[in-house]
């Protein structure tokens, strides 16, 4: 494993900015989880309607993924980030004060559009400025910050459940405005290379890029299922919104700790090693989550098991960035493809799992998820090492 020189002051500032950027984004994304029972009551949502609400954000990201990636080459990374922050701030403010299903769904959709821009612009900005030998480390640090946002998101949701969603989500507008100002204080990004969809889809022939995108989609599928079915099942078992928030908070804490472990393992033994470990645990949690009937057992299983999916993101994004560099694809467009993969998985699973569970049982969508993880694990065991140690 390489140990490079200390980062320059400008690189540290950029890394900190991108970390806060993705932290705020994921924080307000995951804030919905403990509020889902609240919105099913106030907006009169069925289980299928709750799935559509959860799917609104990834559907917005899905719609904005490729445009956001293309914008990075035309507007530049900074302007793309600013556009995303503006969309996030306004839509989250509207979401906080709304109580009608159509307005909630629409605001959630616009949040996803904003997230597509901030992630494509911010992560590409970071990847292009990072030294090649430390790119994975810096991406991993940013992904750890995103986990931190997921960690505090349920806390924001729990606070909103107590004091009201309007005042709680108004802080998003404040955070967005502050970050827009900071965007002008960090060093300017390099000029992006305008590219089109032809270059993007041609680059997907690279096996590192392709596997990274699939793993990103698989993680999106997993959280689409879990974010809808897990809190509703916990609520049916009599678990309060505060405890639901605490469960997801603790799980994100475990994930944050494991993400750094996965990053070090990838540096030393190749990305395939943490990928295999995560997939093995993912199969187990997919089969346990819908079958455990005791709240005292389900809560610790979710805390320990859900990070198996989140720890896929760091090696997946590193593979995407490495594959893009190999294919001479602009990093903004590469991360736009990553957004597309994650959003497609999350949107399909969030909207489909609720409807499928309502028509059958929770076990059916969870079993399909386990099958996808098992198939990927089998493929990972027969493929050669995809990322050698540095």
């Amino acid at each position: 494993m390489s140990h490079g020189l200390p980062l320059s002051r400008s690189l540290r500032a950029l890394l900190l900015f991108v970390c806060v950027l993705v932290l705020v984004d994921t924080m307000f994304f995951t804030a919905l989880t403990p509020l889902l029972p609240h919105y099913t009551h106030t907006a009169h949502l069925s289980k299928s309607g709750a799935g559509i609400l959860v799917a609104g954000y990834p559907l917005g990201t899905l719609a904005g993924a490729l445009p956001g990636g293309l914008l990075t080459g035309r507007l530049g990374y900074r302007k793309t980030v600013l556009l995303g922050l503006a969309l996030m701030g306004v839509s989250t403010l509207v979401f906080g004060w709304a109580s009608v299903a159509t307005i909630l769904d629409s605001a959630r959709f616009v949040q996803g559009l904003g997230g597509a821009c901030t992630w494509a612009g911010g992560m590409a900005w970071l990847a292009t400025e990072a030294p090649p030998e430390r790119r994975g480390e810096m991406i991993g640090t940013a992904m750890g910050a995103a986990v931190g946002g997921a960690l505090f998101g349920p806390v924001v949701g729990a606070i909103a459940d107590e004091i009201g969603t309007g005042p709680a989500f108004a802080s998003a507008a404040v955070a967005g405005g502050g970050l827009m100002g900071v965007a002008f204080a960090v060093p300017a990004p390099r000029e992006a290379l305008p590219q089109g969809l032809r270059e993007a889809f041609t680059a997907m022939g690279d096996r590192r890029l392709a596997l990274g995108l699939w793993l990103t989609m698989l993680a999106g599928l997993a959280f689409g299922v879990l974010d809808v079915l897990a809190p509703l099942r916990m609520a049916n078992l009599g678990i309060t919104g505060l405890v639901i928030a605490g469960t997801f908070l603790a799980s994100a804490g475990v994930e944050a700790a494991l993400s750094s472990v996965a990053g070090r393992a990838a540096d030393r033994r190749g990305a395939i090693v943490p990928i295999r470990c995560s997939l093995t645990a993912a199969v187990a949690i997919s089969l346990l989550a819908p079958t455990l009937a005791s709240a005292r057992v389900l809560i610790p299983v979710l805390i320990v098991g859900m990070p198996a999916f989140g720890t896929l993101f760091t090696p997946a994004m590193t593979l995407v960035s490495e594959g893009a560099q190999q294919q001479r694809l602009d990093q903004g467009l590469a991360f736009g493809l990553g957004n597309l993969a994650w959003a497609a998985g999350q949107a399909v699973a969030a909207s489909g799992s609720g409807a499928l569970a309502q028509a059958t049982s929770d076990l059916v969508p969870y079993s399909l998820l386990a099958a996808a993880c098992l198939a990927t694990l089998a493929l990972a065991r027969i493929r050669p090492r995809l990322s050698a140690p540095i």
Side-chain angles (χ1 to χ4, degrees):
M1 183 173 64
S2 63
H3 298 274
L5 296 173
L7 296 176
S8 65
R9 180 178 298 179
S10 60
L11 271 179
R12 289 198 303 270
L14 175 61
L15 179 59
L16 179 60
F17 169 71
V18 174
C19 285
V20 176
L21 184 71
V22 297
L23 182 147
V24 170
D25 180 82
T26 56
M27 181 170 65
F28 285 102
F29 170 63
T30 58
L32 176 62
T33 300
L35 288 170
L36 202 54
H38 162 78
Y39 280 115
T40 58
H41 175 71
T42 58
H44 308 291
L45 301 175
S46 63
K47 185 178 286 189
S48 178
I52 293 173
L53 179 61
V54 173
Y57 183 102
L59 283 171
T61 303
L62 181 64
L66 290 180
L70 293 170
L71 279 175
T72 60
R74 287 158 174 76
L75 297 180
Y77 301 145
R78 176 181 282 160
K79 290 181 180 178
T80 304
V81 167
L82 292 173
L83 174 61
L85 286 170
L87 291 172
M88 181 204 73
V90 173
S91 60
T92 306
L93 184 64
V94 171
F95 185 86
W97 292 102
S99 59
V100 178
T102 52
I103 298 178
L104 290 168
D105 293 340
S106 299
R108 195 74 172 158
F109 182 86
V110 176
Q111 284 179 331
L113 289 174
C117 293
T118 55
W119 274 84
M123 294 299 289
W125 193 346
L126 183 65
T128 53
E129 298 296 327
E133 69 277 6
R134 302 191 68 175
R135 180 177 297 149
E137 174 191 346
M138 294 179 72
I139 290 175
T141 301
M143 295 305 298
V147 174
L151 184 74
F152 288 105
V155 176
V156 174
I159 293 173
D161 200 28
E162 295 294 325
I163 68 172
T165 55
F169 286 128
S171 59
V174 177
L179 285 170
M180 290 174 77
V182 174
F184 291 99
V186 296
R190 299 178 190 178
E191 185 175 350
L193 177 64
Q195 291 179 328
L197 295 181
R198 178 181 297 178
E199 290 87 351
F201 291 126
T202 299
M204 289 175 65
D206 183 275
R207 68 177 185 178
R208 290 190 181 191
L209 181 58
L211 180 60
L213 292 175
W214 165 244
L215 291 170
T216 303
M217 179 180 287
L218 182 60
L221 286 166
F223 284 110
V225 173
L226 287 163
D227 288 348
V228 173
L229 299 183
L232 293 179
R233 178 168 176 78
M234 295 171 76
N236 288 337
L237 292 175
I239 301 172
T240 65
L242 189 61
V243 176
I244 293 173
T247 300
F248 279 80
L249 173 67
S251 175
V254 174
E255 182 183 330
L258 290 178
S259 292
S260 61
V261 175
R264 289 194 296 269
D267 284 340
R268 294 169 181 168
R269 303 182 63 185
I272 203 67
V273 173
I275 288 170
R276 288 173 177 169
C277 293
S278 294
L279 289 172
T280 301
V283 173
I285 187 62
S286 298
L287 297 176
L288 287 172
T291 56
L292 296 174
S294 168
R296 292 184 178 182
V297 179
L298 179 60
I299 290 173
V301 166
L302 289 175
I303 290 173
V304 174
M306 285 193 295
F309 300 105
T311 50
L312 288 172
F313 281 120
T314 294
M317 287 293 96
T318 301
L319 288 173
V320 168
S321 182
E322 290 175 353
Q325 183 181 28
Q326 184 70 26
Q327 297 296 316
R328 301 183 185 277
L329 181 68
D330 179 69
Q331 292 287 332
L333 195 48
F335 283 106
L337 291 173
N339 281 334
L340 180 66
W342 170 83
Q346 179 99 12
V348 168
S351 57
S353 63
L356 184 58
Q358 187 170 331
T360 56
S361 71
D362 286 6
L363 183 60
V364 175
Y366 275 114
S367 296
L368 292 174
L369 176 61
C373 293
L374 193 60
T376 306
L377 178 61
L379 179 64
R381 289 192 179 282
I382 63 174
R383 291 183 77 102
R385 183 181 297 180
L386 291 166
S387 182
I390 296 173

